[in-house]
Amino acid sequence: MKSDEGRSFSRATALRFFGGTAALLAGSGGASGIPAAAATPVGSSGACAVTPQGEIGPYFADDSPSGFDRGNVLANLDGTALQPGVPLTLTVQVYDTQASCAAMSGVQIDLWHCNAAGVYSDEAVENTASQTWLRGYQITGRAGTVTFTTIVPGWYPGRATHIHVRARSKYNSASAPSDGSNTTQLFFPQAVVDALGTSVAPYDTHGVNPTTNASDHVYTPQTKGKTELVLSGAAGSGYVASVAIGLPIA
C-alpha cells in the first residue's frame, strides 16, 4: 500500500456549490455502460461557506517553473508522455467568503493527481522522477475562474479516486509540501468510477477500486462528502465538472 495522504490537518466547515440545484446522475453512457450525468451550475443558493480542508498528501511537487502555468496538464511540459484516460474538463471558481462571496482574482490554483494506472508523476518512489504530466497551476482572473483539461484519475490501494487542489491566495500563499492548510481534495460519483474500472480502458486493466468514497479517510472524516464533483457528460465523450472553492479553506 502507498503511504499516501498521511499528513492530516484540521478540517474546515462545509463547502457549498453556489447557485442551482444539485443534479443526480441519470441515464446511461451508451455502449460503454457508464452512467451519464446531468449538468449542474457551480453553486447553490444559501450562505457562502468555506471549502472543507483535505490533507495535502505526499505527492505535491514543486511547480514553480513557468511551464507549469497551463490549462492542459495531460502531458509532460515538453508535450511527451500524453496520459490516456476519459477526458475531464474541470472549472474551479474561487470566492472570498469574508467579502460577501466576491469572485477572487490572483489566486493560484494548483492541481495534481494520479494517472489511470494510479501513478503520480515527478516522484522517485513512483519511478517517475522528472515526469511532469497531470500537474499544473493557473491564476484566476477577474471572474475568479480557471479551467483544466485533464483525465479522470485512476486509483491506488487505500484511497478513493480523487484530485488534489491547492489555492494560494492572500489567506495562505504557502507552497511547502508540509503545509496543507490551503488544500482540499475532489472526489467522483461512486457509480462512475466503479463503471470505469469495470468496462472502460485503460481503467479496466486495474479493475474496480476496493476503497469506496464512503470508506476513504479523507472523503468522510475530512471533507464530509462535500467536495464530490457533479459531472456532465459520459465516458465516451468525456466529462465536465465545475467546483466552487470558498476561501479561506482553513
Side-chain angles (χ1 to χ4, degrees):
M1 178 183 294
K2 289 186 183 182
S3 57
D4 182 34
E5 323 307 330
R7 307 186 185 102
S8 182
F9 302 92
S10 63
R11 296 192 299 272
T13 56
L15 167 114
R16 291 199 183 182
F17 298 95
F18 305 90
T21 303
L24 298 176
L25 288 175
S28 166
S32 68
I34 307 303
T40 298
V42 175
S44 90
S45 59
C48 178
V50 300
T51 297
Q53 191 167 280
E55 62 191 45
I56 190 171
Y59 297 119
F60 175 76
D62 179 22
D63 62 0
S64 57
S66 60
F68 282 98
D69 184 357
R70 56 181 182 160
N72 188 321
V73 300
L74 291 172
N76 287 330
L77 296 185
D78 63 4
T80 61
L82 184 69
Q83 295 300 296
V86 172
L88 173 67
T89 301
L90 176 65
T91 296
V92 180
Q93 190 163 20
V94 184
Y95 293 92
D96 190 339
T97 66
Q98 296 184 8
S100 302
C101 286
M104 288 187 70
S105 62
V107 178
Q108 178 170 326
I109 299 296
D110 300 270
L111 177 144
W112 69 103
H113 62 81
C114 69
N115 65 9
V119 177
Y120 285 84
S121 68
D122 202 20
E123 295 292 340
V125 296
E126 302 275 71
N127 297 314
T128 58
S130 79
Q131 299 293 300
T132 52
W133 35 263
L134 304 182
R135 295 182 179 276
Y137 72 84
Q138 292 184 76
I139 308 296
T140 61
R142 292 181 63 186
T145 63
V146 295
T147 298
F148 291 95
T149 299
T150 186
I151 59 170
V152 178
W155 61 272
Y156 47 91
R159 286 306 317 277
T161 301
H162 64 281
I163 288 176
H164 296 268
V165 173
R166 180 171 213 160
R168 306 191 212 184
S169 72
K170 64 182 180 181
Y171 292 116
N172 191 330
S173 61
S175 60
S178 60
D179 185 333
S181 61
N182 54 346
T183 63
T184 195
Q185 297 183 24
L186 309 178
F187 295 87
F188 292 80
Q190 193 66 55
V192 170
V193 293
D194 285 351
L196 290 178
T198 300
S199 60
V200 176
Y203 305 92
D204 56 355
T205 62
H206 204 190
V208 176
N209 187 355
T211 302
T212 63
N213 288 339
S215 63
D216 186 79
H217 78 274
V218 175
Y219 181 96
T220 299
Q222 297 182 23
T223 64
K224 302 293 186 182
K226 301 295 185 179
T227 58
E228 182 179 313
L229 296 171
V230 176
L231 303 177
S232 172
S237 57
Y239 289 110
V240 175
S242 295
V243 63
I245 300 293
L247 296 184
I249 288 178

